[in-house]
Amino acid sequence: MHRHHEAVSALMRSVAEAVVMPRFRNLAAEEVLEKTPGELVTIADREAELRLTEGLAAIDGDAVIVGEEACAADPALMEQATAARAWIIDPIDGTANFAAGQPPFGIMIALVENGVTQAGWLYDPVAERMCHAVLGGGAFLNDAPVRARASGAARPLAAVSKVGQSEEEHAARAARFAQAFEIVPLPRCAAENYPRLVLGQNDVAVFRRTLVWDHAPGALFLTEAGGYVGRWDGSPYRIDDEGVGIVAASTPELGQRATALLFG
């Protein structure tokens, strides 16, 4: 486990307990805003990011901090994600679910150095599930080592995101995947999607939009567990590349099968 694992995990749990869970199913109408069309933010997102920012600065003050909500206010901050060392924060992943009073949602943090994710954390405060990974050091579920496994379904289970594309484009891609996969709902929460691939609940997930805070922690967790993460053209995923989309899968073989279906 990463040398900061205990401190980061404790911070995430404390923020969940103090800020996130007290507002779950307890948000006033004015505490939920639309920051861009179709994208919600709540008072809990903003307060959680402030608490996490303060805590991470205390853990490693030499790293820059790039939070989702800070970037929404100042998009230029995104450029700092590939700094020599940076903390990447998603204070509440799955905000739409959280605002609707339903799981899944989670807190995610990644530590990145020169564009390479060194460590990642995904915390589900409802299930109290902590997923953690360290580059070259493996993946852990509640501090126990974990390896990715396929679902074993007769037709592998694939979740295909609609975000970042037209309805027509998504429908065409889902139809191609339906030739070889069973299409299952996507929970609109990366903090849930990646663990599902490791835990044998889903086999493949396909994303068009790949914001760094949504994917850096989970991609490392999945690959360190032995799964697959790649761009739509089959190239490796890095947060500082200009690649399109992500295919994530519980095994490399399933990842390659899914990639072959993307464009026909």
Side-chain angles (χ1 to χ4, degrees), residues 157-172:
L157 309 178
V160 184
S161 173
K162 296 181 179 181
V163 177
Q165 59 202 302
S166 68
E167 288 287 342
E168 293 78 8
E169 183 183 1
H170 172 262

Side-chain angles (χ1 to χ4, degrees), residues 175-210:
R176 287 195 294 273
F177 272 87
Q179 299 170 21
F181 293 88
E182 187 72 25
I183 304 299
V184 296
L186 192 88
R188 290 204 67 180
C189 174
E192 175 69 12
N193 283 315
Y194 283 100
R196 285 188 182 189
L197 296 170
V198 171
L199 298 175
Q201 296 167 341
N202 283 358
D203 294 294
V204 170
V206 182
F207 308 96
R208 174 64 176 79
R209 189 179 71 174
T210 59

Side-chain angles (χ1 to χ4, degrees), residues 2-264:
H2 193 269
R3 61 191 178 91
H4 291 319
H5 174 59
E6 289 189 9
V8 174
S9 296
L11 172 64
M12 295 170 80
R13 289 188 174 100
S14 68
V15 170
E17 182 179 358
V19 176
V20 178
M21 292 308 292
R23 286 199 165 91
F24 182 44
R25 298 174 177 159
N26 193 34
L27 286 165
E30 66 272 14
E31 294 176 334
V32 182
L33 303 172
E34 190 176 54
K35 59 182 177 181
T36 59
E39 292 290 325
L40 299 180
V41 63
T42 74
I43 188 173
D45 291 78
R46 290 173 172 169
E47 289 188 5
E49 183 164 304
L50 288 173
R51 296 276 193 104
L52 292 167
T53 297
E54 292 171 357
L56 292 172
I59 293 169
D60 183 352
D62 292 331
V64 300
I65 298 177
V66 179
E68 177 181 6
E69 304 313 326
C71 287
D74 181 4
L77 290 174
M78 276 289 295
E79 297 176 7
Q80 297 186 37
T82 55
R85 191 160 69 251
W87 292 109
I88 311 295
I89 303 173
D90 192 338
I92 300 180
D93 181 66
T95 296
N97 297 338
F98 177 77
Q102 61 189 34
F105 55 88
I107 301 172
M108 297 198 296
I109 292 174
L111 180 61
V112 175
E113 293 183 4
N114 299 314
V116 178
T117 308
Q118 302 295 316
W121 293 262
L122 306 87
Y123 182 57
D124 179 339
V126 175
E128 298 184 348
R129 179 187 67 197
M130 180 67 73
C131 300
H132 170 54
V134 58
L135 184 64
F140 304 86
L141 176 64
N142 292 331
D143 294 352
V146 64
R147 296 293 294 173
R149 61 183 186 273
S151 70
R155 283 167 55 84
L157 309 178
V160 184
S161 173
K162 296 181 179 181
V163 177
Q165 59 202 302
S166 68
E167 288 287 342
E168 293 78 8
E169 183 183 1
H170 172 262
R173 186 164 293 114
R176 287 195 294 273
F177 272 87
Q179 299 170 21
F181 293 88
E182 187 72 25
I183 304 299
V184 296
L186 192 88
R188 290 204 67 180
C189 174
E192 175 69 12
N193 283 315
Y194 283 100
R196 285 188 182 189
L197 296 170
V198 171
L199 298 175
Q201 296 167 341
N202 283 358
D203 294 294
V204 170
V206 182
F207 308 96
R208 174 64 176 79
R209 189 179 71 174
T210 59
L211 297 171
V212 60
W213 42 78
D214 287 335
H215 295 281
L220 183 65
F221 177 63
L222 177 56
T223 55
E224 284 295 325
Y228 171 90
V229 179
R231 291 295 190 181
W232 281 8
D233 64 0
S235 62
Y237 164 72
R238 282 178 56 104
I239 72 164
D240 60 351
D241 66 21
E242 296 183 358
V244 174
I246 281 178
V247 172
S250 56
T251 71
E253 186 271 335
L254 284 166
Q256 292 156 10
R257 285 174 61 187
T259 302
L261 283 171
L262 276 169
F263 300 105

